[in-house]
């Protein structure tokens, strides 16, 4: 072992990287005052205590041991045939959930090594935190043990990339990418920062960790300057973590002010409208995470990075862009994303900016470690601001919204997005009646074969395909945008997506419908094939007589279309997508105390006390006797006062099984009210008052109901001699406050359908079937309109509705304008949409009788 740094340079000082002694004092005071904070702190300590046994059990080891080599790219862990994620069933067991085939050897075992390396880094960090929370040196010794283990092997692991190429610039030692090496290094540097002055490491051991682990990892990462890249944001955070931990100002300067440092990323990688340049929300937050971590490190060195305008805009843009349920479209290489799932970052943003806007997504889930470490002491009652339609010029998106309705459409036409871009100019997604409708496929693992044959291709998006080929990389432009109190409209082109044809799309959104007018024109004078395609959740049906259709190609995504049928017509046609039939019935969650018990908690329209639906609670004690817990999702927006009572209507089955109700407080203490046997049939009101006086246990077990209330649980315990199987129902779960009652679960869900009506045109082939969805195990329906010629205009009306639609007809008038007739608020309307030129290329007029 050769140490290049003198032992005298080994550090001995209090922690300073992400938490200082003052921070730990603040955290301790918060934990004494706030049960949620104590629960988070104690959870970290408990996890650190059990880390070794937990690790061994998770990976099927007889005892903890270092992986024999560095890990591999986690995205390799997919079935090479089906593209779905493999399931780890124990050592040497990497099973495909489709055919149960087992995959062994490289790279599958190395992916498991990668997971073990990541968990080891997290354990080192958490043991360092546990030492700071408790003063128990055993935790510091464990963190030191892990740090020294990696210092011993780090230089022995070869540098390799995701294809096992040795000494590749992008490769790592512990991982297969400098990106992942950076993600791994940050908690390792923090672990060292937390225990360096604990006395468990002597000077030579410190020098060993500093030189052979931290500095060597920085050297490996620094070999790969990724420039404008989410990778470089993680590189900078890792280099900064080592620099601040080692008090190396050169490394700190490199991380912040270097050629590709933090300030460079802020000026080059973030659009002026706040979007990360890759146009994928998953990567937006993936890049934001290390930027925020580095800013928190710098703040403890009296350097303010949070004042960078681009950083603040990165927090604001998702709040302005999101759909009504805070989901973000899976554009480009991004899977499903929801702003609520990034509340940990908004905890930091609210604390740093003191802007109530940053708090609108907080409080929907229990506060966690980021809130404990870097969040504000208290959260405000922040209501989401009213959001109208909005144009995002640099990223090339328009969000169309309508007042007093959740009908929302996001229209995409901007820059390609680099390597993570998809060929999807003029694509859109939609939301109405409480959920998403039009679908973007998002992305699978980059190692999945369908990533290039489906995720990226034009056909998998809601746009137009020319000549059965995917678009080229292109940037479209906005031609027109207008927002009024009752409609919004946007017109955009696809730029140079196709050399042989131009594409232009106009979308007109009202509370009742989306009108889509898409025009494709030949640029070379030749006839071309134009395929208008639309993908939607649900079950598709049509009144047309369809026949099997085999005229589609076997490439460019068409090969993934199944159950394909078609008909040719000159007339208007319709297709319906029923999302109620396809929606998951699951509600909340279920816990069984014995493995053999089977139970479900579901939405049901079988019976209802009020409205159309109730919650159905099924049970099956055939294999084992025990109890089942039926729990609501986390409750939000409740009054900041103690409930006086809990009530609910229960439709009993006369089974005599024992019933109890639980309310779980902020510390997860359970307050339990015993109802007794379910000895009635039909509806009965259960009213349980004075929750503070109920039996209580777990959580902080102090008998004090700590707000906020987290959720409500119904407990069913089996009784010998009672029926082994059955079902009963619950409705209108209500909390009663001094300020009045609050229904927290009425189990109502709006019926969700979408009807597509397309204006007739000569020789239109209407195709329907199934394509791939965001989940490769669940196919989704599509409808396609095919026409051949020098020009094609597709006029389609997409109407979200419940039992029946409000739009009666859509037609093209002789002057080329489009007439939509229907019913809105019990009044008949006649909307005329005119496409023209000049300053107002689109006009929309509504006439009411």
């Amino acid at each position: 072992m050769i140490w290049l740094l003198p032992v005298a340079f080994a550090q001995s000082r209090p922690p300073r990287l992400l938490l200082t002694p003052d921070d730990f004092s603040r955290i301790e005071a918060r934990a004494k005052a706030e049960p949620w904070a104590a629960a988070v702190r104690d959870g970290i300590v408990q996890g650190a205590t059990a880390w070794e046994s937990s690790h061994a059990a998770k990976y099927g080891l007889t005892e903890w041991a270092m992986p024999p080599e560095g890990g591999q790219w986690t995205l390799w862990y997919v079935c090479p045939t089906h593209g779905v994620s493999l399931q780890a069933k124990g050592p040497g067991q990497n099973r495909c959930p489709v055919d149960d085939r087992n995959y062994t050897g490289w790279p599958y075992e190395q992916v498991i090594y990668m997971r073990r390396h990541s968990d080891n880094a997290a354990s080192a960090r958490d043991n360092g935190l546990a030492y700071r929370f408790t003063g128990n040196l055993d935790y510091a010794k464990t963190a030191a043990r892990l740090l020294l283990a990696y210092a011993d092997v780090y230089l022995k692991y070869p540098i390799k990339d995701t294809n096992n190429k040795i000494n590749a610039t992008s490769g790592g030692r512990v991982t297969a990418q400098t990106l992942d090496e950076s993600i791994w290094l940050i908690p390792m540097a923090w672990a060292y920062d937390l225990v360096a002055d604990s006395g468990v490491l002597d000077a030579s051991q410190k020098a060993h960790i500093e030189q052979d682990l931290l500095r060597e990892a920085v050297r490996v990462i620094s070999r790969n300057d990724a420039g404008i890249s989410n990778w470089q944001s993680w590189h900078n955070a890792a280099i900064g973590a080592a620099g601040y931990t080692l008090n190396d100002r050169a490394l700190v300067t490199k991380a912040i002010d270097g050629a590709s440092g933090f300030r460079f990323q802020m000026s080059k990688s973030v659009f002026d409208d706040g979007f990360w340049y890759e146009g994928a929300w998953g990567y937006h937050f993936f890049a934001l995470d290390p930027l925020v971590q580095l800013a928190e490190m710098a703040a403890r060195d009296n350097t303010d990075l949070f004042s960078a305008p681009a950083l603040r805009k990165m927090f604001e843009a998702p709040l302005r862009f999101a759909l009504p349920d805070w989901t973000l479209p899976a554009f480009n290489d991004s899977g499903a994303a929801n702003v609520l799932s990034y509340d940990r970052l908004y905890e930091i943003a609210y604390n740093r900016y003191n802007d109530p806007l940053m708090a609108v997504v907080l409080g929907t889930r229990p506060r966690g470690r980021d809130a404990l470490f870097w969040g504000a002491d208290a959260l405000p009652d922040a209501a989401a601001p009213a959001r109208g339609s909005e144009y995002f010029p640099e990223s090339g998106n328009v969000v169309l919204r309508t007042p007093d309705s959740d009908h929302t459409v996001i229209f995409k036409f901007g820059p390609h997005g680099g390597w993570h871009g998809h060929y999807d100019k003029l694509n859109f997604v939609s939301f109405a009646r409480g959920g998403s409708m039009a679908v973007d496929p998002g992305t699978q693992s980059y190692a999945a074969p369908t990533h290039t044959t489906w995720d990226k291709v034009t056909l998998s998006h809601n746009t137009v395909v020319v000549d059965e080929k995917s678009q080229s990389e292109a940037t479209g432009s906005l031609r027109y945008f207008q927002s009024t109190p009752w409609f919004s409209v946007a017109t955009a082109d696809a730029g140079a997506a196709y050399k042989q044809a131009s594409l232009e799309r106009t979308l007109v959104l009202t509370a009742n419908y989306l009108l889509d007018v898409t025009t494709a024109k030949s640029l070379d004078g030749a006839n071309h094939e134009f395929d208008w395609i639309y993908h939607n959740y649900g079950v598709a049906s049509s009144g047309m007589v369809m026949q099997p259709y085999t005229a589609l190609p076997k490439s460019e995504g068409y090969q993934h279309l199944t159950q394909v049928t078609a008909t040719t017509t000159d007339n208007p046609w319709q297709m319906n997508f029923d999302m109620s039939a396809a929606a998951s019935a699951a509600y909340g969650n279920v816990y069984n105390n014995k493995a053999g018990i089977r139970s479900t908690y579901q939405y049901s329209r079988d019976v209802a006390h009020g409205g159309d639906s109730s919650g159905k609670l099924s049970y099956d004690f055939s294999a084992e006797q025990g109890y089942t817990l039926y729990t609501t999702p986390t409750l939000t927006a409740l009054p900041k006062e103690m409930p006086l009572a809990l009530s609910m209507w229960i439709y009993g089955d006369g089974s005599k099984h024992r019933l109890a109700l639980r309310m779980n407080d902020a510390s997860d203490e359970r307050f339990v009210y015993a109802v007794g046997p379910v000895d009635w049939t039909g509806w009965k009101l259960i009213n349980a008052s004075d929750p503070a006086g109920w039996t209580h246990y777990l959580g902080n077990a102090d008998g004090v109901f700590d707000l906020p209330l987290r959720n409500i649980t119904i407990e069913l315990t089996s009784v010998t001699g009672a029926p082994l199987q059955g079902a009963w129902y619950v409705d209108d779960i209500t909390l009663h406050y001094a300020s009045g009652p609050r229904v927290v679960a009425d189990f109502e869900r709006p019926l969700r359908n979408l009807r597509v009506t397309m204006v007739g045109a000569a020789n239109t082939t209407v195709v329907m079937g199934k394509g791939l969805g965001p989940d490769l195990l669940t196919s989704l329906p599509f409808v396609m309109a095919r026409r051949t010629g020098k020009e094609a205009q597709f006029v389609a009306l997409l109407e979200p509705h419940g039992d029946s639609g409000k739009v009666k007809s859509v037609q093209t008038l002789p002057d080329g304008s489009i007439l939509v007739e229907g019913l809105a608020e019990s009044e008949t309307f006649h909307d005329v949409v005119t496409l023209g030129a000049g300053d107002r290329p689109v006009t929309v007029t509504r006439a009411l009788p």
Side-chain angles (χ1 to χ4, degrees):
M1 184 183 304
I2 301 174
W3 298 331
L4 301 181
L5 284 183
V7 171
F9 287 168
Q11 65 164 334
S12 179
R13 76 318 173 263
R16 61 190 170 204
L17 180 58
L18 282 162
L19 292 174
T20 67
D22 287 344
D23 287 320
F24 283 107
S25 296
R26 172 180 52 80
I27 289 168
E28 184 60 26
R30 181 176 291 180
K32 289 179 179 178
E34 299 285 350
W36 72 265
V40 173
R41 178 202 58 191
D42 295 347
I44 294 171
V45 174
Q46 291 163 10
T49 303
W51 81 273
E52 190 165 2
S53 59
S54 297
H55 187 99
K58 180 178 179 179
Y59 294 105
L61 307 174
T62 56
E63 60 181 2
W64 179 84
M66 285 283 287
E69 59 182 285
Q72 256 301 338
W73 194 34
T74 56
L75 296 183
W76 281 128
Y77 205 66
V78 295
C79 171
T81 301
H82 301 101
V84 297
S85 295
L86 298 177
Q87 297 176 347
K89 300 291 188 179
Q93 296 291 314
N94 309 291
R95 297 282 179 177
C96 172
V98 176
D99 59 10
D100 200 41
R101 180 176 175 181
N102 190 38
Y103 291 88
T104 58
W106 191 95
Y108 309 107
E109 303 303 334
Q110 285 71 21
V111 172
I112 301 301
Y113 295 159
M114 174 68 196
R115 294 178 181 178
R116 288 169 60 185
H117 286 305
S118 296
D119 286 356
N120 285 341
S123 293
R125 174 201 63 206
D126 287 356
N127 272 275
L129 289 168
Y131 160 64
R132 289 291 165 182
F133 290 148
T134 66
N136 186 337
L137 283 174
D138 287 341
Y139 295 115
K141 291 175 181 176
T142 297
R145 171 188 171 194
L146 287 163
L147 288 163
L148 288 167
Y150 277 99
D152 286 345
V153 302
Y154 192 79
L155 286 165
K156 299 176 183 177
Y157 287 162
I159 298 173
K160 80 291 181 188
D161 68 5
T162 56
N163 294 306
N164 253 6
K165 179 182 176 182
I166 301 300
N167 289 326
T169 301
S170 64
R173 293 187 186 275
V174 170
T175 73
Q177 301 181 129
T178 51
L179 167 65
D180 297 327
E181 204 88 349
S182 299
I183 296 172
W184 172 85
L185 179 59
I186 295 169
M188 292 297 284
W190 195 7
Y192 182 60
D193 176 74
L194 291 165
V195 304
D197 72 336
S198 65
V200 301
L201 292 165
D202 61 29
S204 63
Q205 290 173 322
K206 291 179 184 179
H208 183 29
I209 293 168
E210 292 180 9
Q211 181 62 30
D212 298 333
L213 177 58
L214 301 183
R215 291 188 182 278
E216 178 59 25
V218 167
R219 188 189 71 81
V220 171
I221 293 165
S222 297
R223 295 166 73 246
N224 182 25
D225 188 331
I228 300 174
S229 169
N230 64 76
W231 281 44
Q232 191 62 37
S233 294
W234 282 100
H235 291 178
N236 292 334
I239 293 168
Y244 283 120
T245 296
L246 301 173
N247 198 24
D248 186 323
R249 307 314 296 182
L251 292 182
V252 170
T253 298
K254 180 177 181 178
I256 296 175
D257 295 305
S260 296
F262 176 94
R263 301 192 197 280
F264 170 85
Q265 297 298 324
M266 290 292 92
S267 66
K268 300 296 184 181
S269 297
V270 184
F271 290 148
D272 282 346
D273 53 19
F275 286 60
W276 185 254
Y277 79 97
E278 290 169 301
W281 286 110
Y283 280 104
H284 180 99
F285 285 107
F286 185 66
L288 180 59
D289 193 342
L291 294 168
V292 170
Q293 290 190 54
L294 183 56
E296 283 292 341
M297 297 175 201
R300 280 150 185 81
D301 191 46
N302 297 315
T303 302
D304 181 12
L305 299 183
F306 282 100
S307 62
L311 185 62
R312 182 164 184 159
K313 288 180 180 179
M314 286 187 74
F315 284 108
E316 294 170 342
L319 301 176
R320 296 162 53 202
F321 197 84
L323 294 166
D325 65 350
W326 295 109
T327 57
L328 295 160
F331 288 160
N332 289 355
D333 278 348
S334 179
N338 190 299
V339 184
L340 300 178
S341 66
Y342 295 99
D343 54 356
R344 62 184 184 85
L345 295 177
Y346 281 92
E347 287 274 7
I348 300 169
Y350 173 67
N351 188 45
R352 287 294 174 184
Y353 299 121
N354 195 30
D355 182 348
L357 175 65
M358 304 297 180
V360 297
V361 295
L362 302 181
T364 61
R365 303 193 305 176
R367 302 184 76 182
R369 66 166 64 195
D370 293 83
L372 179 65
F373 297 164
W374 306 296
D377 287 335
L379 300 179
D381 291 324
R387 297 182 295 173
S389 296
E390 191 167 0
Y391 169 42
F392 295 84
E394 270 207 278
S395 59
N397 293 274
V398 167
V399 182
L400 301 175
R401 296 185 174 99
T402 55
D404 303 320
S405 166
D406 69 351
H407 197 193
T408 307
V409 167
I410 302 181
F411 187 20
K412 178 177 185 281
F413 48 84
H416 183 69
W419 191 87
H420 292 296
H422 289 188
Y423 304 97
D424 63 345
K425 290 296 158 286
L426 305 188
N427 175 37
F428 72 90
V429 297
S430 67
F431 184 103
R433 299 184 66 79
S436 292
M437 293 194 168
V439 184
D440 185 292
T443 193
Q444 304 297 324
S445 166
Y446 306 146
T450 54
H451 178 60
T452 54
T453 62
W454 179 260
D455 299 345
K456 284 179 171 286
V457 301
T458 305
L459 184 83
S460 65
H461 300 83
N462 301 313
T463 185
V464 171
V465 183
V466 179
D467 294 334
E468 301 175 338
K469 300 293 183 182
S470 285
Q471 301 172 0
S472 299
E473 290 188 19
T475 299
S477 60
L478 185 74
R479 298 285 187 86
Y480 183 68
F481 170 63
Q482 182 187 12
S483 180
T484 77
W486 72 272
F487 77 89
S488 293
V489 58
T491 299
D493 64 56
Y498 289 105
K499 293 182 179 179
Q500 70 272 37
S502 65
L503 298 177
E504 182 177 283
R505 175 171 246 167
T506 294
L507 298 179
V508 179
L509 183 75
T510 75
N512 302 103
Y513 62 81
L514 171 70
L515 180 66
D516 169 23
V517 183
T518 302
T519 303
K521 292 183 179 181
S522 172
L523 294 176
D524 57 10
N527 288 333
H528 295 284
E529 179 82 40
F530 300 114
D531 289 346
W532 178 98
I533 188 164
Y534 177 74
H535 309 259
N536 201 94
Y537 288 107
V539 176
S541 61
S542 171
M544 295 180 288
V545 178
M546 313 285 279
Q547 300 295 330
Y549 186 69
T550 58
L552 297 176
K554 301 298 181 184
S555 61
E556 300 289 338
Y558 290 87
Q559 71 272 29
H560 294 299
L561 303 181
T562 59
Q563 302 178 34
V564 179
T565 59
T567 189
T568 299
T569 181
D570 299 341
N571 300 318
W573 56 267
Q574 290 186 330
M575 188 76 62
N576 193 71
F577 295 86
D578 184 346
M579 284 154 280
S580 298
S584 170
Y587 174 81
N589 63 79
V590 174
Y591 169 80
N592 302 310
N593 78 317
K594 298 290 182 62
I597 299 173
R598 297 289 180 264
S599 55
T600 60
Y601 199 5
Q602 297 177 312
Y603 292 96
S604 172
R605 295 172 68 87
D606 295 345
V607 295
H609 180 266
D612 298 317
S613 303
S614 63
K616 183 176 183 179
L617 305 91
S618 69
Y619 59 88
D620 185 346
F621 298 119
S622 301
E624 287 188 90
Q625 298 284 304
Y627 64 85
T628 292
L629 303 177
Y630 308 89
T631 302
T632 67
T634 300
L635 303 177
T636 61
L638 296 177
K640 294 183 177 180
E641 56 182 295
M642 178 65 193
L644 304 177
L646 168 68
S647 70
M648 63 189 70
W649 287 89
I650 290 182
Y651 191 99
D653 62 354
S655 64
K656 304 293 198 306
H657 292 304
R658 292 199 315 274
L659 173 68
L661 309 180
R662 299 184 183 186
M663 293 203 302
N664 307 315
D665 78 357
S667 75
D668 209 25
E669 185 172 3
R670 282 75 155 168
F671 289 76
V672 184
Y673 175 87
V675 177
V678 183
D679 55 5
W680 70 93
T681 57
W683 289 109
K684 179 180 179 179
L685 178 63
I686 305 297
N687 190 63
S689 60
D690 189 24
W694 298 355
T695 302
H696 60 90
Y697 63 98
L698 294 181
N700 59 15
D702 63 357
V704 176
F705 199 98
D706 298 303
L707 297 176
L709 188 157
R710 292 180 61 179
N711 43 41
I712 294 169
T713 297
I714 300 172
E715 174 187 323
L716 188 70
T717 303
S718 64
V719 173
T720 302
L724 297 177
Q725 297 175 315
W728 44 299
Y729 302 84
V730 61
D731 206 352
D732 295 334
I733 300 176
T734 304
L735 290 167
H736 299 267
Y737 295 93
S739 57
R742 178 72 61 88
V743 177
V744 296
D746 62 7
F747 301 95
E748 297 299 317
R749 294 196 298 179
L751 292 175
R752 302 183 64 244
N753 290 273
L754 181 122
R755 183 172 62 192
V756 177
T757 302
M758 182 168 281
V759 173
N763 297 315
T764 299
T765 299
V766 183
V767 186
M768 66 179 293
K770 290 189 174 182
L772 303 180
D775 179 355
L776 292 180
L777 298 177
T778 304
S779 58
L780 291 180
F782 73 90
V783 62
M784 178 192 301
R786 313 194 82 193
R787 296 180 195 156
T788 301
K790 292 183 175 62
E791 181 176 345
Q793 185 177 77
F794 300 92
V795 179
L797 187 137
L798 294 83
E799 180 191 12
H801 65 91
D803 288 323
S804 60
K806 300 295 185 182
V807 175
K808 302 306 179 185
S809 67
V810 55
Q811 57 184 301
T812 301
L813 300 177
D815 65 357
S817 61
I818 300 158
L819 172 64
V820 181
E821 297 181 296
L823 190 69
E825 301 298 330
S826 301
E827 292 186 312
T828 302
F829 64 81
H830 302 267
D831 295 348
V832 177
V833 179
T834 303
L835 306 182
D839 294 337
R840 296 189 64 191
V842 184
T843 60
V844 185
T845 59
R846 166 163 289 189
L848 297 173

